[in-house]
Amino acid sequence: MELPIDSSGRCIFHSKDINFKIQKKIIGIFKKLLLAINSQDKTSEKEFLNLTELWLMLPKDEEDEEKKEQLIDFKGVHLKTTKLFLNHSKFSTKIVFPISDFVDVSFSNCVFYDEVEILGGRLGSTSFHRSEFKSYLNIEETIFEDFVDFSYAQFYRGLNIGNAKFEKQVVFPYCKFFNNDPPSIVNINGYFHEFTDFTECIFEVFLILSHCIFEGEVNFTGTIFRTRFFVTKPLIKSNFFIKGKTNGESIFQDLVDFDLNPEEIEGRIIFENASFLKINHEHK
């Protein structure tokens, strides 16, 4: 597939010339590239598609019809043998994964200025390591079959995980969840088969763990909750660690609500260096 080249010799994906990208309809070309790869994704051996440092940045003052065309939609893309790498890229448009299948996909060190939605389908190894979500991240009805990495990611407009299934480890260590106007929340509902890690995360927004199934160990070591933390009717089959730092900020800085069903706690909830004074008296 031949790609347009700008006056600096860069292809349309890596070009910094915004007018050139608009003129050549970069989003349409990106969709065609994905579908072309999709049609060839039939070999038994895994292949790599490295599109590192994409620059999918377009103005925000386009008309509504223009914005619809700018949507990056992975509908119909099923890369079961091709690993897709989009690391160190920038996206100004909304990205949607509706019922898509990917053996491996990596968005490490990316910046997303608009919403990202992962809605259904199956994904293999998935990485958003050190990425920035300037808008909302929504994950629903999706099965992750391999390791999921959100380490060092930054969330500016909240996170929703609804009825998702993580069959391997999922890690959020050193993530920051910022409070902005309007206020956002982190809402998580899912099945976690192996280790789940929130080491040294900073939550400036409400964290709600609602009806989660934790079969593996859960780790909140050195985490900081600067506002409310809710744990509602979880099924805990292993250890659930909540460990504050021996020196530094208190792990709980606002009320904490544990709404537990004793019959659903098959493992242990372990507190270390955490004050019980912040736990809602109704749930102590």
Side-chain angles (χ1 to χ4, degrees):
M1 181 177 175
E2 187 174 348
L3 299 176
I5 305 297
D6 70 7
S7 59
S8 300
R10 295 189 180 97
C11 79
I12 189 169
F13 293 133
H14 299 100
S15 172
K16 303 299 174 64
D17 186 336
I18 298 297
N19 291 328
F20 172 73
K21 291 173 179 288
I22 295 173
Q23 180 185 4
K24 297 299 183 180
K25 299 186 182 299
I26 182 175
I27 301 302
I29 291 175
F30 183 67
K31 291 178 181 177
K32 288 179 181 178
L33 176 63
L34 287 175
L35 291 174
I37 297 165
N38 185 63
S39 66
Q40 299 174 10
D41 184 67
K42 297 177 181 178
T43 65
S44 57
E45 296 183 3
K46 289 186 178 181
E47 298 182 359
F48 295 85
L49 175 64
N50 192 342
L51 297 176
T52 296
E53 295 184 355
L54 285 186
W55 189 264
L56 292 177
M57 300 294 292
L58 293 173
K60 289 305 231 179
D61 57 354
E62 301 292 326
E63 297 295 330
D64 288 344
E65 288 301 316
E66 291 287 331
K67 288 184 179 179
K68 290 180 182 178
E69 293 181 6
Q70 291 175 17
L71 172 69
I72 299 176
D73 189 346
F74 285 84
K75 183 177 181 180
V77 179
H78 304 280
L79 301 181
K80 296 185 177 181
T81 60
T82 301
K83 296 183 177 183
L84 181 62
F85 290 80
L86 295 161
N87 302 326
H88 297 278
S89 298
K90 294 185 177 181
F91 304 88
S92 66
T93 62
K94 183 175 180 178
I95 300 177
V96 180
F97 291 82
I99 315 181
S100 301
D101 297 305
F102 291 85
V103 60
D104 288 307
V105 61
S106 180
F107 286 96
S108 294
N109 294 279
C110 288
V111 182
F112 303 93
Y113 290 92
D114 208 330
E115 294 179 17
V116 178
E117 293 188 340
I118 303 174
L119 308 174
R122 308 177 76 92
L123 280 75
S125 177
T126 305
S127 177
F128 289 100
H129 169 72
R130 289 193 183 277
S131 288
E132 296 182 40
F133 297 90
K134 302 292 188 180
S135 189
Y136 189 55
L137 173 60
N138 183 32
I139 302 172
E140 294 186 25
E141 304 286 344
T142 302
I143 298 174
F144 294 89
E145 299 177 334
D146 210 332
F147 181 70
V148 180
D149 183 9
F150 283 98
S151 58
Y152 292 92
Q154 297 186 16
F155 300 82
Y156 290 83
R157 293 293 177 187
L159 165 65
N160 180 66
I161 298 177
N163 198 29
K165 184 176 182 180
F166 298 89
E167 295 183 344
K168 300 294 183 180
Q169 294 185 15
V170 53
V171 297
F172 293 87
Y174 308 101
C175 286
K176 293 183 179 179
F177 300 85
F178 295 102
N179 187 24
N180 287 291
D181 189 21
S184 58
I185 65 171
V186 176
N187 184 60
I188 298 176
N189 163 251
Y191 167 85
F192 300 85
H193 183 63
E194 294 189 3
F195 181 58
T196 305
D197 188 23
F198 292 94
T199 294
E200 294 202 28
C201 287
I202 297 177
F203 291 93
E204 296 181 351
V205 298
F206 285 10
L207 171 60
I208 303 172
L209 302 180
S210 178
H211 296 85
C212 292
I213 299 174
F214 296 110
E215 290 200 345
E217 185 175 289
V218 182
N219 187 28
F220 285 95
T221 295
T223 307
I224 302 296
F225 299 95
R226 292 185 177 155
T227 185
R228 299 288 294 272
F229 175 33
F230 299 84
V231 182
T232 305
K233 296 291 192 299
L235 173 57
I236 297 174
K237 293 191 174 183
S238 186
N239 291 327
F240 192 106
F241 289 101
I242 300 176
K243 297 181 180 181
K245 296 179 179 180
T246 54
N247 296 302
E249 287 188 68
S250 171
I251 188 169
F252 299 134
Q253 299 182 12
D254 204 335
L255 287 180
V256 180
D257 288 77
F258 284 92
D259 184 6
L260 308 176
N261 181 349
E263 296 180 355
E264 300 292 311
I265 309 301
E266 300 176 13
R268 297 183 300 165
I269 300 177
I270 301 170
F271 293 88
E272 292 184 13
N273 297 317
S275 172
F276 287 87
L277 296 176
K278 294 290 186 179
I279 296 178
N280 190 330
H281 71 277
E282 295 180 2
H283 301 140
K284 283 185 178 178

